[in-house]
Short mmCIF file of all heavy atoms in Angstrom, two decimals:
data_model
loop_
_atom_site.label_atom_id
_atom_site.label_comp_id
_atom_site.label_asym_id
_atom_site.label_seq_id
_atom_site.Cartn_x
_atom_site.Cartn_y
_atom_site.Cartn_z
N MET A 1 116.15 94.97 108.08
CA MET A 1 114.79 95.09 108.62
C MET A 1 114.88 95.50 110.09
O MET A 1 115.67 94.96 110.84
CB MET A 1 114.09 93.74 108.48
CG MET A 1 112.67 93.76 108.99
SD MET A 1 111.73 92.33 108.42
CE MET A 1 111.45 92.81 106.72
N GLU A 2 114.09 96.46 110.46
CA GLU A 2 114.17 96.96 111.84
C GLU A 2 113.43 96.04 112.81
O GLU A 2 112.49 95.35 112.43
CB GLU A 2 113.58 98.37 111.90
CG GLU A 2 112.08 98.42 111.68
CD GLU A 2 111.52 99.83 111.71
OE1 GLU A 2 111.49 100.46 110.64
OE2 GLU A 2 111.12 100.27 112.79
N ASN A 3 113.91 96.04 114.03
CA ASN A 3 113.25 95.27 115.08
C ASN A 3 112.03 96.04 115.56
O ASN A 3 112.07 97.25 115.70
CB ASN A 3 114.19 95.04 116.25
CG ASN A 3 115.31 94.09 115.90
OD1 ASN A 3 115.43 93.62 114.78
ND2 ASN A 3 116.14 93.79 116.87
N LYS A 4 110.96 95.32 115.81
CA LYS A 4 109.73 95.92 116.32
C LYS A 4 109.29 95.15 117.55
O LYS A 4 109.61 93.97 117.70
CB LYS A 4 108.62 95.88 115.28
CG LYS A 4 108.89 96.73 114.06
CD LYS A 4 107.71 96.71 113.13
CE LYS A 4 107.98 97.61 111.93
NZ LYS A 4 106.88 97.59 110.98
N GLU A 5 108.53 95.82 118.40
CA GLU A 5 107.96 95.14 119.56
C GLU A 5 106.45 95.20 119.44
O GLU A 5 105.89 96.27 119.25
CB GLU A 5 108.42 95.82 120.85
CG GLU A 5 107.86 95.12 122.08
CD GLU A 5 108.35 95.73 123.38
OE1 GLU A 5 109.48 95.41 123.77
OE2 GLU A 5 107.61 96.53 123.96
N PHE A 6 105.83 94.06 119.50
CA PHE A 6 104.37 93.96 119.46
C PHE A 6 103.88 93.53 120.83
O PHE A 6 104.52 92.72 121.50
CB PHE A 6 103.91 92.92 118.43
CG PHE A 6 104.35 93.20 117.02
CD1 PHE A 6 105.04 92.23 116.31
CD2 PHE A 6 104.07 94.40 116.40
CE1 PHE A 6 105.44 92.44 115.00
CE2 PHE A 6 104.47 94.64 115.10
CZ PHE A 6 105.16 93.66 114.39
N GLN A 7 102.72 94.05 121.22
CA GLN A 7 102.10 93.60 122.46
C GLN A 7 100.66 93.20 122.17
O GLN A 7 99.98 93.83 121.36
CB GLN A 7 102.15 94.69 123.53
CG GLN A 7 103.55 94.91 124.07
CD GLN A 7 103.55 95.74 125.32
OE1 GLN A 7 102.93 96.79 125.38
NE2 GLN A 7 104.23 95.25 126.34
N PHE A 8 100.23 92.15 122.85
CA PHE A 8 98.91 91.58 122.63
C PHE A 8 98.25 91.26 123.96
O PHE A 8 98.92 90.82 124.89
CB PHE A 8 99.01 90.27 121.83
CG PHE A 8 99.76 90.38 120.54
CD1 PHE A 8 101.13 90.17 120.51
CD2 PHE A 8 99.10 90.69 119.37
CE1 PHE A 8 101.84 90.24 119.32
CE2 PHE A 8 99.81 90.77 118.17
CZ PHE A 8 101.17 90.56 118.15
N LYS A 9 96.94 91.44 124.01
CA LYS A 9 96.13 90.98 125.14
C LYS A 9 95.74 89.54 124.81
O LYS A 9 95.25 89.26 123.72
CB LYS A 9 94.90 91.87 125.29
CG LYS A 9 94.01 91.49 126.45
CD LYS A 9 92.85 92.46 126.54
CE LYS A 9 91.89 92.05 127.63
NZ LYS A 9 90.78 93.00 127.74
N THR A 10 95.99 88.62 125.77
CA THR A 10 95.71 87.20 125.51
C THR A 10 94.95 86.59 126.68
O THR A 10 94.70 87.25 127.68
CB THR A 10 97.01 86.40 125.31
OG1 THR A 10 97.67 86.27 126.58
CG2 THR A 10 97.95 87.05 124.31
N ASN A 11 94.65 85.31 126.54
CA ASN A 11 94.11 84.55 127.67
C ASN A 11 95.08 83.42 128.05
O ASN A 11 94.68 82.38 128.52
CB ASN A 11 92.70 84.02 127.38
CG ASN A 11 92.65 83.01 126.25
OD1 ASN A 11 93.56 82.92 125.43
ND2 ASN A 11 91.57 82.27 126.18
N LEU A 12 96.38 83.67 127.85
CA LEU A 12 97.43 82.74 128.27
C LEU A 12 97.67 82.99 129.75
O LEU A 12 98.48 83.82 130.12
CB LEU A 12 98.72 82.98 127.48
CG LEU A 12 98.63 82.76 125.97
CD1 LEU A 12 99.84 83.35 125.28
CD2 LEU A 12 98.51 81.28 125.67
N ASN A 13 96.93 82.27 130.62
CA ASN A 13 96.93 82.68 132.03
C ASN A 13 97.74 81.80 132.97
O ASN A 13 97.70 82.00 134.17
CB ASN A 13 95.49 82.80 132.54
CG ASN A 13 94.71 81.53 132.38
OD1 ASN A 13 95.27 80.48 132.09
ND2 ASN A 13 93.41 81.62 132.55
N CYS A 14 98.49 80.83 132.44
CA CYS A 14 99.30 80.00 133.34
C CYS A 14 100.47 79.40 132.57
O CYS A 14 100.53 79.48 131.34
CB CYS A 14 98.47 78.90 133.97
SG CYS A 14 97.91 77.66 132.78
N GLY A 15 101.37 78.78 133.30
CA GLY A 15 102.53 78.16 132.68
C GLY A 15 102.15 77.07 131.68
O GLY A 15 102.83 76.89 130.67
N GLY A 16 101.06 76.36 131.95
CA GLY A 16 100.61 75.33 131.02
C GLY A 16 100.18 75.92 129.69
O GLY A 16 100.49 75.37 128.63
N CYS A 17 99.47 77.04 129.74
CA CYS A 17 99.05 77.72 128.51
C CYS A 17 100.27 78.21 127.73
O CYS A 17 100.35 78.03 126.52
CB CYS A 17 98.16 78.92 128.83
SG CYS A 17 96.62 78.54 129.67
N VAL A 18 101.20 78.82 128.45
CA VAL A 18 102.40 79.34 127.81
C VAL A 18 103.19 78.20 127.16
O VAL A 18 103.68 78.34 126.03
CB VAL A 18 103.27 80.12 128.83
CG1 VAL A 18 104.61 80.50 128.22
CG2 VAL A 18 102.52 81.36 129.32
N SER A 19 103.26 77.06 127.83
CA SER A 19 104.02 75.93 127.27
C SER A 19 103.40 75.41 125.98
O SER A 19 104.11 74.88 125.12
CB SER A 19 104.16 74.81 128.29
OG SER A 19 102.93 74.17 128.52
N LYS A 20 102.08 75.58 125.81
CA LYS A 20 101.41 75.11 124.59
C LYS A 20 101.79 75.94 123.37
O LYS A 20 101.73 75.44 122.25
CB LYS A 20 99.89 75.12 124.77
CG LYS A 20 99.42 74.03 125.72
CD LYS A 20 97.92 74.06 125.89
CE LYS A 20 97.50 72.99 126.89
NZ LYS A 20 96.09 73.07 127.23
N VAL A 21 102.17 77.20 123.57
CA VAL A 21 102.55 78.05 122.44
C VAL A 21 104.07 78.23 122.34
O VAL A 21 104.56 78.76 121.36
CB VAL A 21 101.87 79.44 122.51
CG1 VAL A 21 100.36 79.31 122.49
CG2 VAL A 21 102.34 80.24 123.71
N GLN A 22 104.80 77.76 123.36
CA GLN A 22 106.23 78.03 123.44
C GLN A 22 107.02 77.54 122.22
O GLN A 22 107.78 78.30 121.63
CB GLN A 22 106.82 77.40 124.70
CG GLN A 22 108.31 77.68 124.85
CD GLN A 22 108.85 77.25 126.20
OE1 GLN A 22 108.12 76.76 127.05
NE2 GLN A 22 110.13 77.44 126.39
N SER A 23 106.84 76.28 121.83
CA SER A 23 107.65 75.78 120.71
C SER A 23 107.32 76.50 119.41
O SER A 23 108.21 76.76 118.60
CB SER A 23 107.49 74.27 120.55
OG SER A 23 106.19 73.94 120.13
N ASP A 24 106.05 76.86 119.22
CA ASP A 24 105.67 77.58 118.00
C ASP A 24 106.31 78.96 117.95
O ASP A 24 106.82 79.37 116.91
CB ASP A 24 104.15 77.70 117.91
CG ASP A 24 103.48 76.35 117.70
OD1 ASP A 24 103.24 75.66 118.70
OD2 ASP A 24 103.24 76.00 116.54
N LEU A 25 106.28 79.67 119.08
CA LEU A 25 106.89 81.00 119.10
C LEU A 25 108.42 80.91 119.06
O LEU A 25 109.07 81.72 118.39
CB LEU A 25 106.44 81.78 120.34
CG LEU A 25 104.99 82.26 120.31
CD1 LEU A 25 104.59 82.87 121.64
CD2 LEU A 25 104.76 83.27 119.19
N ASP A 26 108.98 79.93 119.76
CA ASP A 26 110.44 79.76 119.75
C ASP A 26 110.95 79.45 118.34
O ASP A 26 112.06 79.86 117.98
CB ASP A 26 110.87 78.63 120.68
CG ASP A 26 110.80 79.01 122.15
OD1 ASP A 26 110.63 80.21 122.46
OD2 ASP A 26 110.90 78.10 122.99
N ASN A 27 110.17 78.71 117.56
CA ASN A 27 110.61 78.28 116.24
C ASN A 27 110.10 79.16 115.10
O ASN A 27 110.43 78.92 113.94
CB ASN A 27 110.19 76.83 115.99
CG ASN A 27 110.88 75.89 116.95
OD1 ASN A 27 112.08 75.99 117.17
ND2 ASN A 27 110.13 74.98 117.55
N ALA A 28 109.29 80.17 115.42
CA ALA A 28 108.75 81.04 114.38
C ALA A 28 109.87 81.93 113.83
O ALA A 28 110.61 82.56 114.59
CB ALA A 28 107.62 81.90 114.93
N GLU A 29 109.98 81.96 112.53
CA GLU A 29 111.00 82.80 111.91
C GLU A 29 110.65 84.26 112.12
O GLU A 29 109.50 84.67 111.93
CB GLU A 29 111.10 82.50 110.42
CG GLU A 29 112.28 83.17 109.78
CD GLU A 29 112.66 82.55 108.45
OE1 GLU A 29 112.38 81.35 108.24
OE2 GLU A 29 113.23 83.27 107.65
N GLY A 30 111.60 85.05 112.55
CA GLY A 30 111.38 86.48 112.75
C GLY A 30 111.09 86.86 114.18
O GLY A 30 110.93 88.04 114.49
N VAL A 31 111.00 85.88 115.09
CA VAL A 31 110.81 86.18 116.51
C VAL A 31 112.16 86.09 117.19
O VAL A 31 112.80 85.04 117.15
CB VAL A 31 109.82 85.19 117.19
CG1 VAL A 31 109.77 85.43 118.69
CG2 VAL A 31 108.44 85.33 116.58
N CYS A 32 112.62 87.20 117.81
CA CYS A 32 113.91 87.10 118.50
C CYS A 32 113.73 86.93 120.01
O CYS A 32 114.60 86.38 120.66
CB CYS A 32 114.82 88.28 118.16
SG CYS A 32 114.15 89.90 118.39
N HIS A 33 112.62 87.37 120.57
CA HIS A 33 112.36 87.18 122.00
C HIS A 33 110.87 87.39 122.23
O HIS A 33 110.24 88.19 121.56
CB HIS A 33 113.16 88.19 122.83
CG HIS A 33 112.88 88.09 124.30
ND1 HIS A 33 113.38 87.08 125.08
CD2 HIS A 33 112.15 88.87 125.12
CE1 HIS A 33 112.96 87.25 126.33
NE2 HIS A 33 112.22 88.33 126.37
N TRP A 34 110.32 86.66 123.21
CA TRP A 34 108.91 86.85 123.57
C TRP A 34 108.71 86.47 125.02
O TRP A 34 109.50 85.73 125.59
CB TRP A 34 107.99 86.02 122.67
CG TRP A 34 108.19 84.54 122.85
CD1 TRP A 34 109.11 83.76 122.21
CD2 TRP A 34 107.46 83.67 123.73
NE1 TRP A 34 109.00 82.46 122.63
CE2 TRP A 34 108.00 82.37 123.58
CE3 TRP A 34 106.43 83.86 124.63
CZ2 TRP A 34 107.52 81.28 124.28
CZ3 TRP A 34 105.95 82.77 125.33
CH2 TRP A 34 106.49 81.50 125.15
N ASN A 35 107.67 87.01 125.64
CA ASN A 35 107.28 86.57 126.97
C ASN A 35 105.83 86.97 127.24
O ASN A 35 105.28 87.82 126.56
CB ASN A 35 108.23 87.11 128.06
CG ASN A 35 107.93 88.53 128.45
OD1 ASN A 35 107.79 89.39 127.60
ND2 ASN A 35 107.85 88.79 129.73
N VAL A 36 105.24 86.29 128.22
CA VAL A 36 103.86 86.55 128.61
C VAL A 36 103.86 86.95 130.08
O VAL A 36 104.43 86.25 130.91
CB VAL A 36 102.96 85.31 128.43
CG1 VAL A 36 101.53 85.62 128.85
CG2 VAL A 36 102.99 84.81 127.00
N ASP A 37 103.21 88.07 130.38
CA ASP A 37 103.06 88.51 131.77
C ASP A 37 101.78 87.90 132.32
O ASP A 37 100.71 88.48 132.22
CB ASP A 37 103.02 90.04 131.84
CG ASP A 37 102.92 90.56 133.26
OD1 ASP A 37 102.85 89.74 134.20
OD2 ASP A 37 102.91 91.78 133.44
N THR A 38 101.89 86.68 132.88
CA THR A 38 100.71 86.00 133.38
C THR A 38 100.18 86.61 134.67
O THR A 38 99.07 86.30 135.09
CB THR A 38 100.98 84.49 133.61
OG1 THR A 38 102.10 84.35 134.49
CG2 THR A 38 101.25 83.77 132.30
N ASP A 39 100.95 87.50 135.30
CA ASP A 39 100.49 88.19 136.50
C ASP A 39 99.58 89.38 136.17
O ASP A 39 98.80 89.82 137.00
CB ASP A 39 101.67 88.69 137.34
CG ASP A 39 102.49 87.53 137.90
OD1 ASP A 39 101.90 86.45 138.15
OD2 ASP A 39 103.69 87.72 138.09
N SER A 40 99.68 89.90 134.96
CA SER A 40 98.85 91.02 134.51
C SER A 40 97.43 90.52 134.24
O SER A 40 97.23 89.41 133.76
CB SER A 40 99.44 91.61 133.22
OG SER A 40 98.47 92.34 132.51
N SER A 41 96.45 91.35 134.53
CA SER A 41 95.05 90.94 134.28
C SER A 41 94.78 90.76 132.79
O SER A 41 93.89 90.01 132.40
CB SER A 41 94.08 91.97 134.87
OG SER A 41 94.26 93.23 134.25
N ASP A 42 95.55 91.45 131.93
CA ASP A 42 95.37 91.33 130.48
C ASP A 42 96.25 90.26 129.85
O ASP A 42 96.19 90.04 128.65
CB ASP A 42 95.63 92.67 129.80
CG ASP A 42 94.51 93.67 130.05
OD1 ASP A 42 93.37 93.24 130.32
OD2 ASP A 42 94.78 94.88 129.96
N LYS A 43 97.10 89.58 130.67
CA LYS A 43 97.97 88.50 130.17
C LYS A 43 98.73 88.96 128.93
O LYS A 43 98.62 88.40 127.84
CB LYS A 43 97.18 87.23 129.86
CG LYS A 43 96.21 86.81 130.95
CD LYS A 43 96.90 86.58 132.26
CE LYS A 43 95.89 86.19 133.34
NZ LYS A 43 96.33 86.49 134.68
N ILE A 44 99.53 90.01 129.07
CA ILE A 44 100.19 90.66 127.95
C ILE A 44 101.31 89.79 127.38
O ILE A 44 102.25 89.43 128.08
CB ILE A 44 100.76 92.03 128.36
CG1 ILE A 44 99.65 92.94 128.92
CG2 ILE A 44 101.47 92.69 127.18
CD1 ILE A 44 98.53 93.25 127.96
N LEU A 45 101.20 89.50 126.09
CA LEU A 45 102.24 88.81 125.34
C LEU A 45 103.05 89.89 124.63
O LEU A 45 102.49 90.71 123.90
CB LEU A 45 101.64 87.86 124.30
CG LEU A 45 102.57 87.33 123.21
CD1 LEU A 45 103.68 86.46 123.80
CD2 LEU A 45 101.79 86.57 122.16
N THR A 46 104.36 89.91 124.87
CA THR A 46 105.25 90.84 124.20
C THR A 46 106.16 90.04 123.27
O THR A 46 106.77 89.06 123.70
CB THR A 46 106.12 91.61 125.22
OG1 THR A 46 105.25 92.29 126.13
CG2 THR A 46 107.02 92.62 124.53
N VAL A 47 106.21 90.45 122.00
CA VAL A 47 107.04 89.77 121.01
C VAL A 47 107.99 90.79 120.40
O VAL A 47 107.55 91.82 119.89
CB VAL A 47 106.18 89.14 119.89
CG1 VAL A 47 107.06 88.51 118.82
CG2 VAL A 47 105.22 88.11 120.47
N ASN A 48 109.29 90.52 120.47
CA ASN A 48 110.28 91.33 119.77
C ASN A 48 110.50 90.70 118.41
O ASN A 48 110.94 89.56 118.31
CB ASN A 48 111.59 91.40 120.56
CG ASN A 48 111.42 92.19 121.85
OD1 ASN A 48 110.61 93.09 121.94
ND2 ASN A 48 112.18 91.83 122.86
N SER A 49 110.18 91.45 117.38
CA SER A 49 110.15 90.94 116.02
C SER A 49 111.37 91.36 115.22
O SER A 49 111.80 92.50 115.28
CB SER A 49 108.89 91.48 115.32
OG SER A 49 109.00 91.33 113.92
N LYS A 50 111.88 90.40 114.46
CA LYS A 50 112.87 90.70 113.43
C LYS A 50 112.32 90.18 112.12
O LYS A 50 112.94 89.37 111.45
CB LYS A 50 114.21 90.01 113.74
CG LYS A 50 115.13 90.84 114.58
CD LYS A 50 116.58 90.37 114.51
CE LYS A 50 116.75 88.90 114.73
NZ LYS A 50 118.14 88.54 115.08
N GLY A 51 111.11 90.58 111.78
CA GLY A 51 110.53 90.18 110.51
C GLY A 51 109.15 89.58 110.59
O GLY A 51 108.39 89.65 109.63
N ILE A 52 108.79 88.95 111.71
CA ILE A 52 107.44 88.39 111.82
C ILE A 52 106.44 89.54 111.95
O ILE A 52 106.75 90.58 112.52
CB ILE A 52 107.33 87.40 113.00
CG1 ILE A 52 106.08 86.53 112.84
CG2 ILE A 52 107.38 88.12 114.33
CD1 ILE A 52 106.06 85.33 113.77
N THR A 53 105.26 89.36 111.40
CA THR A 53 104.24 90.41 111.47
C THR A 53 103.27 90.15 112.62
O THR A 53 103.20 89.04 113.15
CB THR A 53 103.42 90.47 110.16
OG1 THR A 53 102.67 89.26 110.05
CG2 THR A 53 104.31 90.67 108.95
N GLU A 54 102.54 91.19 112.97
CA GLU A 54 101.51 91.07 114.00
C GLU A 54 100.52 89.97 113.65
O GLU A 54 100.16 89.15 114.48
CB GLU A 54 100.76 92.41 114.12
CG GLU A 54 100.85 93.02 115.47
CD GLU A 54 100.08 94.35 115.56
OE1 GLU A 54 99.36 94.75 114.63
OE2 GLU A 54 100.23 94.96 116.61
N ASP A 55 100.10 89.95 112.38
CA ASP A 55 99.11 88.96 111.93
C ASP A 55 99.65 87.54 112.06
O ASP A 55 98.90 86.61 112.38
CB ASP A 55 98.70 89.23 110.48
CG ASP A 55 97.86 90.49 110.34
OD1 ASP A 55 97.29 90.96 111.36
OD2 ASP A 55 97.78 91.03 109.22
N GLU A 56 100.94 87.35 111.81
CA GLU A 56 101.52 86.01 111.92
C GLU A 56 101.55 85.55 113.38
O GLU A 56 101.29 84.37 113.66
CB GLU A 56 102.93 86.00 111.33
CG GLU A 56 102.93 86.11 109.81
CD GLU A 56 104.31 86.35 109.22
OE1 GLU A 56 105.13 87.08 109.83
OE2 GLU A 56 104.57 85.80 108.13
N VAL A 57 101.84 86.46 114.30
CA VAL A 57 101.81 86.12 115.73
C VAL A 57 100.39 85.74 116.14
O VAL A 57 100.18 84.74 116.83
CB VAL A 57 102.35 87.27 116.60
CG1 VAL A 57 102.21 86.94 118.08
CG2 VAL A 57 103.81 87.57 116.27
N VAL A 58 99.42 86.53 115.72
CA VAL A 58 98.01 86.26 116.03
C VAL A 58 97.63 84.87 115.51
O VAL A 58 97.00 84.08 116.22
CB VAL A 58 97.08 87.35 115.43
CG1 VAL A 58 95.63 86.93 115.49
CG2 VAL A 58 97.30 88.68 116.17
N ALA A 59 98.03 84.54 114.30
CA ALA A 59 97.69 83.24 113.71
C ALA A 59 98.30 82.08 114.52
O ALA A 59 97.64 81.06 114.72
CB ALA A 59 98.18 83.18 112.26
N ILE A 60 99.52 82.25 115.00
CA ILE A 60 100.17 81.20 115.80
C ILE A 60 99.37 80.95 117.08
O ILE A 60 99.08 79.81 117.43
CB ILE A 60 101.63 81.59 116.15
CG1 ILE A 60 102.51 81.51 114.89
CG2 ILE A 60 102.19 80.69 117.24
CD1 ILE A 60 103.90 82.13 115.08
N ILE A 61 99.03 82.02 117.79
CA ILE A 61 98.33 81.87 119.08
C ILE A 61 96.93 81.31 118.86
O ILE A 61 96.50 80.41 119.57
CB ILE A 61 98.28 83.22 119.84
CG1 ILE A 61 99.69 83.77 120.07
CG2 ILE A 61 97.52 83.07 121.15
CD1 ILE A 61 100.63 82.87 120.83
N LYS A 62 96.22 81.81 117.86
CA LYS A 62 94.86 81.32 117.57
C LYS A 62 94.88 79.85 117.15
O LYS A 62 93.96 79.11 117.46
CB LYS A 62 94.19 82.19 116.51
CG LYS A 62 93.71 83.51 117.05
CD LYS A 62 92.90 84.28 116.02
CE LYS A 62 92.31 85.53 116.64
NZ LYS A 62 91.53 86.31 115.67
N SER A 63 95.95 79.44 116.46
CA SER A 63 96.02 78.04 116.00
C SER A 63 96.11 77.08 117.18
O SER A 63 95.80 75.90 117.05
CB SER A 63 97.21 77.84 115.06
OG SER A 63 98.44 77.80 115.79
N LYS A 64 96.53 77.57 118.34
CA LYS A 64 96.63 76.77 119.56
C LYS A 64 95.37 76.87 120.41
O LYS A 64 95.31 76.34 121.51
CB LYS A 64 97.85 77.19 120.38
CG LYS A 64 99.16 76.89 119.68
CD LYS A 64 99.30 75.39 119.49
CE LYS A 64 100.61 75.03 118.82
NZ LYS A 64 100.73 73.59 118.66
N GLY A 65 94.36 77.63 119.92
CA GLY A 65 93.08 77.70 120.61
C GLY A 65 92.96 78.81 121.65
O GLY A 65 92.03 78.80 122.45
N PHE A 66 93.88 79.77 121.61
CA PHE A 66 93.83 80.87 122.57
C PHE A 66 93.33 82.15 121.92
O PHE A 66 93.39 82.32 120.70
CB PHE A 66 95.21 81.11 123.19
CG PHE A 66 95.68 79.95 124.00
CD1 PHE A 66 96.61 79.04 123.50
CD2 PHE A 66 95.20 79.75 125.29
CE1 PHE A 66 97.03 77.96 124.25
CE2 PHE A 66 95.62 78.67 126.04
CZ PHE A 66 96.53 77.78 125.53
N LYS A 67 92.85 83.06 122.77
CA LYS A 67 92.40 84.37 122.30
C LYS A 67 93.58 85.32 122.31
O LYS A 67 94.43 85.27 123.19
CB LYS A 67 91.29 84.91 123.19
CG LYS A 67 90.03 84.09 123.18
CD LYS A 67 89.00 84.66 124.11
CE LYS A 67 87.76 83.79 124.13
NZ LYS A 67 86.78 84.23 125.13
N ILE A 68 93.60 86.22 121.32
CA ILE A 68 94.67 87.21 121.24
C ILE A 68 94.16 88.42 120.47
O ILE A 68 93.42 88.27 119.50
CB ILE A 68 95.93 86.62 120.56
CG1 ILE A 68 97.05 87.66 120.49
CG2 ILE A 68 95.60 86.03 119.20
CD1 ILE A 68 98.40 87.08 120.06
N GLU A 69 94.51 89.60 120.94
CA GLU A 69 94.20 90.81 120.19
C GLU A 69 95.33 91.81 120.39
O GLU A 69 95.87 91.94 121.49
CB GLU A 69 92.86 91.41 120.62
CG GLU A 69 92.79 91.81 122.07
CD GLU A 69 91.40 92.30 122.47
OE1 GLU A 69 90.46 91.48 122.49
OE2 GLU A 69 91.28 93.50 122.76
N PRO A 70 95.71 92.49 119.31
CA PRO A 70 96.81 93.46 119.41
C PRO A 70 96.45 94.62 120.33
O PRO A 70 95.31 95.06 120.35
CB PRO A 70 96.98 93.95 117.98
CG PRO A 70 96.31 92.93 117.11
CD PRO A 70 95.22 92.36 117.95
N LEU A 71 97.44 95.08 121.07
CA LEU A 71 97.29 96.31 121.85
C LEU A 71 97.86 97.43 120.99
O LEU A 71 98.98 97.33 120.51
CB LEU A 71 98.08 96.25 123.15
CG LEU A 71 97.56 95.31 124.23
CD1 LEU A 71 98.50 95.37 125.44
CD2 LEU A 71 96.17 95.70 124.65
N ASN A 72 97.09 98.47 120.78
CA ASN A 72 97.58 99.59 119.98
C ASN A 72 98.45 100.48 120.84
O ASN A 72 98.07 100.86 121.94
CB ASN A 72 96.41 100.36 119.39
CG ASN A 72 95.60 99.52 118.42
OD1 ASN A 72 96.16 98.66 117.75
ND2 ASN A 72 94.32 99.74 118.37
N ALA A 73 99.61 100.77 120.32
CA ALA A 73 100.57 101.59 121.08
C ALA A 73 100.09 103.02 121.21
O ALA A 73 99.35 103.52 120.43
CB ALA A 73 101.92 101.57 120.38
#
């Protein structure tokens, strides 16, 4: 399975927000690396995927009460 990179606009705007989703993303099967650019106005979440889908990432973030929408490449 090929590696893919997904990017999302979120409202994860501080370290506290990021820490609320950290364990879920760290433990999600198919995620090899992720980070959130909290300095960007769009709070871009980048996920390097080895099998997880865009929809699965969206579901993880929404389950924690945050907003997320895919950025189209």
Side-chain angles (χ1 to χ4, degrees):
M1 181 165 285
E2 69 181 89
N3 290 2
K4 294 184 178 179
E5 181 177 280
F6 301 126
Q7 289 193 311
F8 306 89
K9 181 178 176 179
T10 72
N11 65 341
L12 298 166
N13 57 12
C14 67
C17 298
V18 172
S19 70
K20 289 180 182 173
V21 300
Q22 181 171 359
S23 67
D24 293 85
L25 288 173
D26 285 348
N27 295 315
E29 189 161 334
V31 173
C32 53
H33 177 75
W34 65 274
N35 80 311
V36 180
D37 182 359
T38 55
D39 294 330
S40 159
S41 62
D42 287 336
K43 312 302 179 204
I44 303 299
L45 165 64
T46 302
V47 177
N48 292 330
S49 164
K50 270 199 310 198
I52 197 167
T53 66
E54 240 181 7
D55 290 341
E56 289 170 324
V57 175
V58 168
I60 289 169
I61 303 302
K62 284 187 174 179
S63 76
K64 294 297 181 179
F66 295 102
K67 296 178 182 174
I68 181 170
E69 61 185 68
L71 289 179
N72 296 328

